[in-house]
Amino acid sequence: MSAAFKAFLGTQSQWAPKTTHFWGPVSNWGIILASVSDTKKPPEMISGNMTGVLCVYSALFVRFAWMVRPRNYFLMVTHSCNECVQLYQLSRWARAQGFMEKKELGGPTVKIDHKP
């Protein structure tokens, strides 16, 4: 094995598989994979409350991963992906509930004539 790979597996690297910097983001990929598989289900099965909470949770952890020193890019990418999937699920739920329907504005229309 190369020295770099041995260093990655050992405790010399803060991103090694023996640390929480590695296993925390890896375990969060389970949430992302479950959300991606839920895109095939009907939108009536989506919980708007839970999806909204997951959106806020992921947004907060994206900021946390950026602000913590040293920056945890793996955690930031994980929660950014989760944020994207959860926002898509939230939009599906909102469309199914009728929140994103196009509404026509009532009232008189005014024709503007642009003559010189």
Short mmCIF file of all heavy atoms in Angstrom, two decimals, residues 1-33:
data_model
loop_
_atom_site.label_atom_id
_atom_site.label_comp_id
_atom_site.label_asym_id
_atom_site.label_seq_id
_atom_site.Cartn_x
_atom_site.Cartn_y
_atom_site.Cartn_z
N MET A 1 0.84 -1.19 0.00
CA MET A 1 0.00 0.00 0.00
C MET A 1 0.88 1.25 0.00
O MET A 1 1.95 1.25 0.59
CB MET A 1 -0.88 0.04 1.25
CG MET A 1 -2.14 -0.77 1.15
SD MET A 1 -3.27 -0.35 2.47
CE MET A 1 -3.08 -1.75 3.51
N SER A 2 0.36 2.27 -0.62
CA SER A 2 1.13 3.51 -0.66
C SER A 2 1.07 4.21 0.70
O SER A 2 0.17 3.97 1.51
CB SER A 2 0.59 4.43 -1.74
OG SER A 2 -0.66 4.95 -1.34
N ALA A 3 2.00 5.08 0.92
CA ALA A 3 2.08 5.79 2.19
C ALA A 3 0.89 6.73 2.37
O ALA A 3 0.38 6.89 3.49
CB ALA A 3 3.38 6.58 2.27
N ALA A 4 0.42 7.33 1.26
CA ALA A 4 -0.73 8.24 1.36
C ALA A 4 -1.99 7.48 1.74
O ALA A 4 -2.79 7.97 2.55
CB ALA A 4 -0.93 8.96 0.02
N PHE A 5 -2.18 6.28 1.19
CA PHE A 5 -3.37 5.49 1.52
C PHE A 5 -3.30 5.01 2.97
O PHE A 5 -4.32 5.01 3.68
CB PHE A 5 -3.50 4.31 0.56
CG PHE A 5 -4.78 3.54 0.74
CD1 PHE A 5 -6.00 4.12 0.42
CD2 PHE A 5 -4.75 2.25 1.23
CE1 PHE A 5 -7.18 3.42 0.59
CE2 PHE A 5 -5.93 1.55 1.40
CZ PHE A 5 -7.15 2.13 1.08
N LYS A 6 -2.12 4.61 3.43
CA LYS A 6 -1.96 4.20 4.83
C LYS A 6 -2.24 5.38 5.77
O LYS A 6 -2.83 5.20 6.83
CB LYS A 6 -0.55 3.66 5.06
CG LYS A 6 -0.35 2.27 4.51
CD LYS A 6 1.06 1.79 4.82
CE LYS A 6 1.28 0.43 4.23
NZ LYS A 6 2.65 -0.06 4.48
N ALA A 7 -1.79 6.57 5.37
CA ALA A 7 -2.05 7.75 6.20
C ALA A 7 -3.54 8.06 6.24
O ALA A 7 -4.06 8.48 7.27
CB ALA A 7 -1.27 8.95 5.66
N PHE A 8 -4.25 7.85 5.11
CA PHE A 8 -5.70 8.08 5.09
C PHE A 8 -6.42 7.10 6.00
O PHE A 8 -7.34 7.47 6.72
CB PHE A 8 -6.22 7.95 3.66
CG PHE A 8 -7.72 7.99 3.56
CD1 PHE A 8 -8.41 9.18 3.78
CD2 PHE A 8 -8.45 6.86 3.28
CE1 PHE A 8 -9.78 9.23 3.70
CE2 PHE A 8 -9.83 6.90 3.20
CZ PHE A 8 -10.50 8.09 3.41
N LEU A 9 -6.01 5.84 6.00
CA LEU A 9 -6.66 4.85 6.85
C LEU A 9 -6.31 5.02 8.32
O LEU A 9 -7.08 4.64 9.19
CB LEU A 9 -6.28 3.44 6.40
CG LEU A 9 -6.87 3.00 5.07
CD1 LEU A 9 -6.37 1.60 4.73
CD2 LEU A 9 -8.38 3.04 5.09
N GLY A 10 -5.17 5.58 8.59
CA GLY A 10 -4.75 5.77 9.97
C GLY A 10 -5.41 6.99 10.60
O GLY A 10 -6.32 7.59 10.05
N THR A 11 -4.95 7.33 11.75
CA THR A 11 -5.53 8.47 12.47
C THR A 11 -4.79 9.77 12.16
O THR A 11 -5.11 10.80 12.74
CB THR A 11 -5.50 8.21 13.99
OG1 THR A 11 -4.14 7.94 14.36
CG2 THR A 11 -6.40 7.07 14.36
N GLN A 12 -3.79 9.74 11.26
CA GLN A 12 -3.07 10.96 10.94
C GLN A 12 -3.96 11.94 10.18
O GLN A 12 -3.81 13.14 10.29
CB GLN A 12 -1.83 10.65 10.08
CG GLN A 12 -0.75 9.89 10.80
CD GLN A 12 -0.99 8.38 10.75
OE1 GLN A 12 -1.92 7.91 10.12
NE2 GLN A 12 -0.17 7.63 11.45
N SER A 13 -4.89 11.44 9.39
CA SER A 13 -5.78 12.29 8.62
C SER A 13 -7.06 12.55 9.40
O SER A 13 -7.63 11.65 10.00
CB SER A 13 -6.12 11.62 7.29
OG SER A 13 -7.13 12.32 6.63
N GLN A 14 -7.51 13.80 9.40
CA GLN A 14 -8.76 14.11 10.10
C GLN A 14 -9.97 13.62 9.34
O GLN A 14 -11.08 13.60 9.86
CB GLN A 14 -8.87 15.61 10.35
CG GLN A 14 -8.93 16.43 9.09
CD GLN A 14 -8.89 17.90 9.40
OE1 GLN A 14 -8.84 18.29 10.55
NE2 GLN A 14 -8.90 18.71 8.37
N TRP A 15 -9.80 13.22 8.07
CA TRP A 15 -10.91 12.73 7.26
C TRP A 15 -10.87 11.22 7.12
O TRP A 15 -11.54 10.65 6.29
CB TRP A 15 -10.90 13.37 5.87
CG TRP A 15 -10.73 14.84 5.95
CD1 TRP A 15 -9.65 15.55 5.53
CD2 TRP A 15 -11.63 15.78 6.51
NE1 TRP A 15 -9.83 16.88 5.78
CE2 TRP A 15 -11.05 17.06 6.39
CE3 TRP A 15 -12.88 15.69 7.11
CZ2 TRP A 15 -11.66 18.22 6.84
CZ3 TRP A 15 -13.49 16.84 7.56
CH2 TRP A 15 -12.89 18.08 7.42
N ALA A 16 -10.08 10.56 7.95
CA ALA A 16 -9.92 9.10 7.87
C ALA A 16 -11.22 8.39 8.25
O ALA A 16 -12.06 8.93 8.98
CB ALA A 16 -8.79 8.66 8.79
N PRO A 17 -11.40 7.16 7.77
CA PRO A 17 -12.60 6.40 8.11
C PRO A 17 -12.76 6.10 9.59
O PRO A 17 -13.81 5.64 10.02
CB PRO A 17 -12.43 5.10 7.31
CG PRO A 17 -11.52 5.44 6.20
CD PRO A 17 -10.61 6.50 6.74
N LYS A 18 -11.76 6.36 10.38
CA LYS A 18 -11.87 6.12 11.82
C LYS A 18 -12.37 7.35 12.59
O LYS A 18 -12.40 7.35 13.80
CB LYS A 18 -10.51 5.71 12.38
CG LYS A 18 -10.02 4.38 11.84
CD LYS A 18 -8.67 4.03 12.42
CE LYS A 18 -8.21 2.71 11.86
NZ LYS A 18 -6.89 2.34 12.37
N THR A 19 -12.78 8.40 11.88
CA THR A 19 -13.21 9.64 12.53
C THR A 19 -14.67 9.95 12.23
O THR A 19 -15.24 9.43 11.27
CB THR A 19 -12.35 10.83 12.06
OG1 THR A 19 -12.61 11.06 10.68
CG2 THR A 19 -10.87 10.58 12.26
N THR A 20 -15.25 10.81 13.04
CA THR A 20 -16.63 11.24 12.80
C THR A 20 -16.73 12.19 11.62
O THR A 20 -17.81 12.38 11.07
CB THR A 20 -17.22 11.92 14.05
OG1 THR A 20 -16.40 13.04 14.38
CG2 THR A 20 -17.31 10.96 15.20
N HIS A 21 -15.60 12.83 11.24
CA HIS A 21 -15.62 13.70 10.05
C HIS A 21 -15.92 12.89 8.79
O HIS A 21 -16.37 13.45 7.80
CB HIS A 21 -14.27 14.40 9.87
CG HIS A 21 -14.00 15.43 10.90
ND1 HIS A 21 -14.59 16.67 10.88
CD2 HIS A 21 -13.20 15.40 11.99
CE1 HIS A 21 -14.16 17.38 11.92
NE2 HIS A 21 -13.33 16.64 12.61
N PHE A 22 -15.67 11.59 8.84
CA PHE A 22 -15.96 10.72 7.72
C PHE A 22 -17.33 10.06 7.86
O PHE A 22 -18.15 10.10 6.95
CB PHE A 22 -14.86 9.65 7.60
CG PHE A 22 -15.09 8.68 6.48
CD1 PHE A 22 -14.77 9.02 5.19
CD2 PHE A 22 -15.63 7.43 6.73
CE1 PHE A 22 -14.98 8.13 4.15
CE2 PHE A 22 -15.85 6.53 5.70
CZ PHE A 22 -15.51 6.88 4.41
N TRP A 23 -17.61 9.46 9.01
CA TRP A 23 -18.83 8.67 9.17
C TRP A 23 -20.08 9.52 9.33
O TRP A 23 -21.18 9.06 9.00
CB TRP A 23 -18.69 7.69 10.34
CG TRP A 23 -17.76 6.59 9.97
CD1 TRP A 23 -16.51 6.39 10.45
CD2 TRP A 23 -17.99 5.57 8.99
NE1 TRP A 23 -15.94 5.31 9.85
CE2 TRP A 23 -16.83 4.78 8.94
CE3 TRP A 23 -19.05 5.25 8.14
CZ2 TRP A 23 -16.70 3.69 8.10
CZ3 TRP A 23 -18.92 4.17 7.31
CH2 TRP A 23 -17.77 3.41 7.28
N GLY A 24 -19.97 10.74 9.80
CA GLY A 24 -21.13 11.62 9.90
C GLY A 24 -21.74 11.89 8.53
O GLY A 24 -22.93 11.63 8.30
N PRO A 25 -20.95 12.41 7.58
CA PRO A 25 -21.50 12.63 6.24
C PRO A 25 -21.91 11.34 5.54
O PRO A 25 -22.92 11.32 4.82
CB PRO A 25 -20.34 13.30 5.50
CG PRO A 25 -19.53 13.94 6.56
CD PRO A 25 -19.64 13.04 7.75
N VAL A 26 -21.17 10.26 5.74
CA VAL A 26 -21.53 8.99 5.09
C VAL A 26 -22.91 8.54 5.55
O VAL A 26 -23.74 8.11 4.74
CB VAL A 26 -20.47 7.91 5.36
CG1 VAL A 26 -20.97 6.53 4.99
CG2 VAL A 26 -19.19 8.23 4.59
N SER A 27 -23.19 8.66 6.83
CA SER A 27 -24.50 8.23 7.34
C SER A 27 -25.61 9.15 6.83
O SER A 27 -26.75 8.70 6.64
CB SER A 27 -24.50 8.18 8.86
OG SER A 27 -24.29 9.47 9.40
N ASN A 28 -25.32 10.41 6.59
CA ASN A 28 -26.33 11.33 6.06
C ASN A 28 -26.70 11.02 4.62
O ASN A 28 -27.76 11.45 4.15
CB ASN A 28 -25.85 12.78 6.17
CG ASN A 28 -26.07 13.33 7.56
OD1 ASN A 28 -27.10 13.10 8.17
ND2 ASN A 28 -25.09 14.06 8.05
N TRP A 29 -25.86 10.30 3.90
CA TRP A 29 -26.21 9.92 2.53
C TRP A 29 -27.42 8.98 2.52
O TRP A 29 -28.11 8.88 1.51
CB TRP A 29 -25.02 9.29 1.80
CG TRP A 29 -24.13 10.35 1.24
CD1 TRP A 29 -22.96 10.80 1.78
CD2 TRP A 29 -24.36 11.14 0.07
NE1 TRP A 29 -22.45 11.82 1.01
CE2 TRP A 29 -23.28 12.04 -0.05
CE3 TRP A 29 -25.36 11.17 -0.88
CZ2 TRP A 29 -23.19 12.95 -1.09
CZ3 TRP A 29 -25.26 12.08 -1.93
CH2 TRP A 29 -24.19 12.95 -2.01
N GLY A 30 -27.68 8.31 3.63
CA GLY A 30 -28.88 7.47 3.72
C GLY A 30 -30.16 8.30 3.58
O GLY A 30 -31.12 7.87 2.94
N ILE A 31 -30.16 9.50 4.17
CA ILE A 31 -31.31 10.40 4.04
C ILE A 31 -31.49 10.83 2.59
O ILE A 31 -32.60 10.86 2.06
CB ILE A 31 -31.13 11.65 4.95
CG1 ILE A 31 -31.06 11.24 6.42
CG2 ILE A 31 -32.25 12.64 4.73
CD1 ILE A 31 -30.66 12.38 7.35
N ILE A 32 -30.38 11.12 1.93
CA ILE A 32 -30.45 11.56 0.54
C ILE A 32 -30.95 10.44 -0.36
O ILE A 32 -31.83 10.65 -1.20
CB ILE A 32 -29.06 12.05 0.07
CG1 ILE A 32 -28.61 13.22 0.92
CG2 ILE A 32 -29.08 12.42 -1.39
CD1 ILE A 32 -27.15 13.57 0.78
N LEU A 33 -30.42 9.25 -0.17
CA LEU A 33 -30.85 8.11 -1.00
C LEU A 33 -32.31 7.78 -0.77
O LEU A 33 -33.04 7.45 -1.72
CB LEU A 33 -29.96 6.90 -0.72
CG LEU A 33 -28.49 7.07 -1.13
CD1 LEU A 33 -27.67 5.86 -0.68
CD2 LEU A 33 -28.37 7.28 -2.62
#
